[in-house]
Every structure is written in structure tokens, then in C-alpha cells.
Amino acid sequence: MSDEMTLQPGGAAATTVAPPADPAASAPGGLNKESAWRRRDRRWGYVFIGPQVVGMAVFVLLPFVASMVLAFASWNGLTELTWVGLENFTAQLQDELLLRSIVNTLLIAIITVPIGLGLAVVIAVALEKLKTRTLYLILFFAPVVTSTVAVAMIWQQMFRVDGVLSQTISAIFGIAPPDWLGDPRLALIAVCIVSIWSALGLNVIIFLAGLQNISPSVIEAARIDGAGAFRLLRSIRLPLLSPIIFFSSIVAFISSLQTFDTVFILTADAGPDNATRTIVYHIYDLGFGRFEFGPSSAASVILLLLTLVITAIQFGAQKKFVHYEDDAA
């Protein structure tokens, strides 16, 4: 390091100190030390993400690969595995139980997703300006963090012929108490009611956060132009909330296609006359009820393809109803 002399006005001399050199560049082996530090930092990164990677490989990737292999084989868990090609898929596509399961699953999705998201939007708008909304959010969110088994068992008691819900309907309308879980026409509706009630709180919180993220100046400008509450909701709030609604619809559809635990606990053997039999329950029944792992894996692959198709349709339709602020700008 060297000092440079400069001449100031009036003859005074000043010393300008040069900036210190980079130790990594000047010290012998500096670059090697830096690379060693980066290697050590990378190793610690592997240590922290290691448990997650191992867990994903053991509980996600390996079962997925095994399911894909078993879909083309015949195996009951004890005998020797034999390859059958597309026989499992052909048999499943001709199985009336699988077709019934697909219809029931799609009905659950079609009923629960629009109604659940619509109720969540209405409740979120109602709670937006409410000062005591924290208490209501806790009450709405409680079913989300409650065990699905506990929720299904509670609703199972309510859906009984002598339960609270059936007796209340009988007293109000003067009719015989409905047998929710014994009537094939009502069993699937009972599953939809429980599914909507369980997921409502999470959607309410998500939509409420989205509503609070809307700029107040946009709302104020619309009010100055004479927009009422309904017009604000239809023309301002819902379009700006549409990306969040789209995200929630994707998650809700995928979740509804995987309905199992509610059906397993709420109804016995997938309801009367397989009225509540879903695809996941069908997969469970084949694999762990009949020990037909080949057809069970084939049905799971069909569920995967169905999920991909529905998700692709949703992404294709988003251009018509999803409005992003960047696009509007």
C-alpha cells in the first residue's frame, strides 16, 4: 500500500490514502480459501435440506415409482409379481365400481368447490370491516385444524335419524326425519356438507387477506363514481380477487378428488349402494381390502391423469375470468 501526495490550494500538501486491496486477491491462495468457504457453506446447505429430500424420496418418489410398476403387473403382496401389460387398465375402465367412483368424485368436486368458494367470498366480504372479526376467524378456522376423523364422527352423530340436524329439519318442516347416511340420495350430500364446512375457514382467511390487499384508492374512486356495494363487489373486488380465487379453486378441486377420510369415517362401506364411493376409496378397497395391488395402482394412475386433465382445463379457462393488475396496467 502506498500513499499519494497531492497539492492543496495555498501550498498545503495532503495525503490521499489508497483503498486497501482485496485480501482474497492479494493473499497467497486467497481464491482457494474462498472456494473452500463456499464448499463448506454448500455442505451445510445439503445437511439442512437432507431430511426433507430423504423424506420426499422415501414417502413420495419411491411409492410413485412402485405404483407405476405395479400398474402393469399382477401382485397380491405374497405371490410372485407377474407382468400383465395394460390388462389392469382395461379391467378398471370396464369396472362399474370405478366408473361409479369417478362420477361420485366429480359430483363432490362440482358441488363443494363452487359452493365452498362462494360462501367463503361472502363471509370474507362481511368480515372485512368488522372490528371483532378475529373471534369469527378463530371459529371459522377451528375445523381446519381439527382432525378429520373427529369432524366426521361429530357429523355422523348429527346426521343420525335421531340426531340434532334431522330432528331440527323434522320440527321446522313437519316431515319425517331424513336418514342422511342411510338414503343413497342423501349420503353424498352429507359428504359434501362436511367437506364444505371443513374447508370453509381456510378459504375465508385467504380471501380476507386478498380483500385487504386491494388498494383503498381504487375502492374510493369507484365510490366517487357512484358504485354501490354490489357493484363494488362485482366490478372491483371480485376481478381483483380472481387470481386468489383461481388458486383456491385449483387446490379445492385437487383436494375434492382425493376425498377419502370423510367417506371412510362418515359412511359404512362407502355408503348405501356405493353412494359415497370415491376414487381414493376405490383404490383403498382394491389394495388393502382385496389385496389386488395391480388394479389398485392402475386406478391411482387413472386418478392422476384425471387430476392433470382437470387442472389443465382450469389453467386454460383462467384467461377468461382471471384478471391480474399488471395486465390491467
Side-chain angles (χ1 to χ4, degrees):
M1 179 177 66
S2 60
D3 298 340
E4 297 180 359
M5 301 296 295
T6 58
L7 186 61
Q8 298 286 346
T15 302
T16 303
V17 180
D22 187 4
S26 59
L31 294 178
N32 294 332
K33 291 182 179 180
E34 183 179 5
S35 61
W37 175 84
R38 289 186 176 180
R39 287 196 300 269
R40 184 172 62 252
D41 186 65
R42 190 179 300 110
R43 285 195 296 267
W44 276 109
Y46 292 150
V47 170
F48 283 112
I49 68 173
Q52 182 69 19
V53 173
V54 172
M56 180 173 293
V58 173
F59 297 106
V60 178
L61 295 181
L62 288 180
F64 176 77
V65 174
S67 179
M68 294 297 294
V69 172
L70 290 175
F72 300 93
S74 176
W75 187 57
N76 62 1
L78 298 175
T79 60
E80 184 179 355
L81 187 146
T82 57
W83 297 104
V84 296
L86 298 176
E87 182 179 333
N88 290 329
F89 292 95
T90 304
Q92 282 302 300
L93 292 176
Q94 296 175 354
D95 189 354
E96 294 183 359
L97 285 179
L98 175 65
L99 300 180
R100 181 70 179 274
S101 302
I102 293 177
V103 172
N104 290 339
T105 303
L106 293 178
L107 284 176
I108 292 175
I110 293 173
I111 294 174
T112 59
V113 174
I115 295 178
L117 296 183
L119 286 176
V121 171
V122 173
I123 295 174
V125 172
L127 295 179
E128 184 182 8
K129 301 299 181 181
L130 196 62
K131 294 182 179 179
T132 58
R133 63 173 177 266
T134 302
L135 175 61
Y136 292 98
L137 290 177
I138 294 175
L139 295 177
F140 279 115
F141 196 73
V144 179
V145 296
T146 304
S147 171
T148 308
V149 175
V151 170
M153 294 182 67
I154 292 173
W155 277 97
Q156 187 181 50
Q157 298 301 316
M158 295 179 62
F159 282 134
R160 291 175 52 182
V161 178
D162 56 348
V164 176
L165 184 60
S166 298
Q167 292 298 321
T168 302
I169 294 176
S170 177
I172 293 176
F173 297 99
I175 60 176
D179 186 7
W180 292 92
L181 304 180
D183 190 343
R185 298 171 299 179
L186 298 177
L188 192 66
I189 297 178
V191 173
C192 293
I193 292 174
V194 177
S195 299
I196 293 172
W197 184 81
S198 300
L200 184 62
L202 179 61
N203 292 326
V204 168
I205 290 180
I206 293 176
F207 292 155
L208 183 60
L211 290 172
Q212 293 177 339
N213 195 39
I214 297 176
S215 176
S217 60
V218 176
I219 304 297
E220 186 64 26
R223 287 176 176 169
I224 292 176
D225 291 338
F230 179 77
R231 181 66 181 223
L232 281 174
L233 177 63
R234 184 174 66 87
S235 301
I236 303 297
R237 286 192 169 96
L238 286 182
L240 294 179
L241 200 63
S242 58
I244 300 178
I245 296 177
F246 171 67
F247 165 78
S248 298
S249 67
I250 293 288
V251 175
F253 259 102
I254 294 176
S255 178
S256 62
L257 293 177
Q258 298 175 351
T259 302
F260 168 74
D261 40 10
T262 302
V263 172
F264 186 80
I265 300 298
L266 193 64
T267 59
D269 298 328
D273 194 21
N274 292 307
T276 60
R277 188 182 186 91
T278 61
I279 302 181
V280 178
Y281 187 92
H282 180 74
I283 295 171
Y284 162 80
D285 184 38
L286 289 175
F288 298 97
R290 309 179 190 179
F291 296 99
E292 299 176 0
F293 294 106
S296 177
S297 300
S300 66
V301 174
I302 294 174
L303 172 60
L304 173 62
L305 295 178
L306 180 63
T307 304
L308 293 177
V309 169
I310 293 179
T311 304
I313 293 174
Q314 289 180 283
F315 271 97
Q318 69 160 328
K319 299 178 182 179
K320 297 183 179 180
F321 68 91
V322 178
H323 305 278
Y324 296 97
E325 294 186 12
D326 294 340
D327 297 339

